[in-house]
Amino acid sequence: MITTEETEDAFTALADSTRLGILRTLWESDSGQATFTELRESLGMSDSGQFNYHLDKLTGRFVTKTDDGYALTIAGRLVYGSILSGAYNKEESLGPVTLSNPCPACGGSRTLSYAEEVVRVECDSCDISPSAGVPPGVFAGYDLDAIPAVANRYFRTIVQQTDNGFCWYCEGKTSPRVVPMSDIISGNVDYPGDGDELPVVEYGCERCGNTLTVNLGNSLLDHPAVISFYYEHGINVHETSLWEFATWNTDRTKILSCKPLRARVSYHAGDERLDLIVDEELSLVETHRTSL
Ligand SMILES: [Zn+2]
Ligand SMILES: [Zn+2]
């Protein structure tokens, strides 16, 4: 992980309205660049020595010098993009919206709602209630009935990015570990089947320490064996809601052994079942395809 000093350096570089104004001016510039004088004048500063002091604090980290002046670095774009992402705060709560497909765990009816930056799916017949954080800017500009599909695309994007090895928050290196769900949550939730044996995937970031917990059925959804299995049954996994592939009972997902760790997930389509068995690092150990 990076040191507190390095993090504070970066925050200090941004903690000034002139410096944020420089980022905004470069972001909004048509050419993506601006000269020293253009920047200084756009921020209404007459003292070029003082302006240079602020510009210097950003240069090298968030701003780079070009032949024609200054431009944002990728880190500068990411910082400014995250300011925009947090700038929308209108959609404080949304829903509930009734979901079209039944609960994959029990067949009950489900609703999706959004409050306090968390999307939560609730079932009227069981305690399975997946939830995940979503910044409010994600839902800006969509109608209420589009929210489940937008939330689904957002989660799929997060899972894919994290599974590809990049932290959603800081771009740091992530790696997966398959663990029993009882390691992650306290045992208050009444899951169908034997809750102790349910495996989940915990992705950890080496840089910021953030972790993301993903259902094993969702985590392996982009594996070629899974994509082709569903494709042969006429189902495009990329156009189907992530919730449909979440596995919450031990018929569909299970820890088979602890030392070495082996976990199985089963996908069902038509009259067939595809089993994937993975190790602790989420590497595929075996696949089986059987008729139901
Ligand atoms: Zn249910
Ligand atoms: Zn991170």
Side-chain angles (χ1 to χ4, degrees), residues 17-52:
S17 60
T18 302
R19 297 174 207 163
L20 292 175
I22 293 169
L23 298 186
R24 188 188 66 244
T25 305
L26 290 171
W27 178 277
E28 290 174 354
S29 146
D30 289 342
S31 63
Q33 301 192 49
T35 64
F36 180 88
T37 307
E38 285 166 347
L39 281 172
R40 183 176 60 76
E41 287 177 355
S42 77
L43 294 165
M45 287 187 73
S46 51
D47 184 338
S48 70
Q50 198 190 7
F51 181 73
N52 190 46

Side-chain angles (χ1 to χ4, degrees), residues 5-291:
E5 205 176 317
E6 285 167 318
T7 318
E8 281 177 1
D9 257 11
F11 281 128
T12 306
L14 294 165
D16 179 277
S17 60
T18 302
R19 297 174 207 163
L20 292 175
I22 293 169
L23 298 186
R24 188 188 66 244
T25 305
L26 290 171
W27 178 277
E28 290 174 354
S29 146
D30 289 342
S31 63
Q33 301 192 49
T35 64
F36 180 88
T37 307
E38 285 166 347
L39 281 172
R40 183 176 60 76
E41 287 177 355
S42 77
L43 294 165
M45 287 187 73
S46 51
D47 184 338
S48 70
Q50 198 190 7
F51 181 73
N52 190 46
Y53 168 78
H54 289 302
L55 184 57
D56 199 47
K57 291 286 179 192
L58 296 170
T59 307
R61 195 194 296 258
F62 300 114
V63 167
T64 183
K65 207 161 172 4
T66 66
D67 290 345
D68 300 319
Y70 295 86
L72 292 173
T73 60
I74 291 174
R77 291 183 165 273
L78 288 170
V79 161
Y80 200 76
S82 73
I83 291 170
L84 290 182
S85 160
Y88 294 93
N89 52 15
K90 280 192 304 196
E91 314 293 353
E92 282 169 3
S93 68
L94 290 165
V97 187
T98 304
L99 297 182
S100 50
N101 291 312
C103 170
C106 78
S109 169
R110 295 174 304 162
T111 55
L112 180 149
S113 55
Y114 179 64
E116 293 173 352
E117 300 197 315
V118 174
V119 162
R120 190 177 301 280
V121 172
E122 279 170 305
C123 172
D124 65 4
S125 311
C126 77
D127 285 338
I128 302 291
S129 176
S131 62
V134 180
V138 165
F139 295 127
Y142 288 100
D143 293 335
L144 187 62
D145 58 7
I147 297 306
V150 175
N152 182 57
R153 290 205 310 277
Y154 183 78
F155 295 138
R156 186 183 292 280
T157 306
I158 292 178
V159 172
Q160 282 174 335
Q161 169 161 346
T162 311
D163 193 60
N164 282 333
F166 304 102
C167 173
W168 187 249
Y169 290 110
C170 77
E171 319 283 338
K173 183 183 175 191
T174 56
S175 45
R177 210 163 59 90
V178 179
V179 295
M181 185 140 75
S182 53
D183 275 15
I184 306 282
I185 55 161
S186 55
N188 297 335
V189 181
D190 184 20
Y191 286 94
D194 184 349
D196 287 343
E197 295 183 350
L198 284 177
V200 290
V201 184
E202 187 176 58
Y203 293 91
C205 171
E206 289 180 8
R207 183 178 298 154
C208 73
N210 175 52
T211 58
L212 177 72
T213 305
V214 179
N215 185 282
L216 187 60
N218 285 154
S219 189
L220 290 168
L221 201 52
D222 268 335
H223 193 282
V226 180
I227 292 174
S228 60
F229 171 72
Y230 280 108
Y231 187 69
E232 285 172 36
H233 286 277
I235 296 166
N236 180 345
V237 298
H238 294 137
E239 289 174 357
T240 309
S241 166
L242 213 55
W243 316 114
E244 307 314 313
F245 303 101
T247 44
W248 294 113
N249 60 53
T250 46
D251 292 342
R252 294 293 180 106
T253 187
K254 194 172 190 164
I255 290 184
L256 301 175
S257 69
C258 286
K259 286 188 176 150
L261 188 130
R262 294 289 182 267
R264 183 182 67 206
V265 57
S266 303
Y267 297 94
H268 293 210
D271 56 356
E272 272 198 301
R273 159 182 172 160
L274 173 71
D275 287 354
L276 265 55
I277 297 169
V278 295
D279 66 12
E280 191 173 0
E281 272 104 44
L282 197 62
S283 299
L284 192 62
V285 178
E286 281 172 54
T287 64
H288 300 287
R289 203 161 154 163
T290 47
S291 293

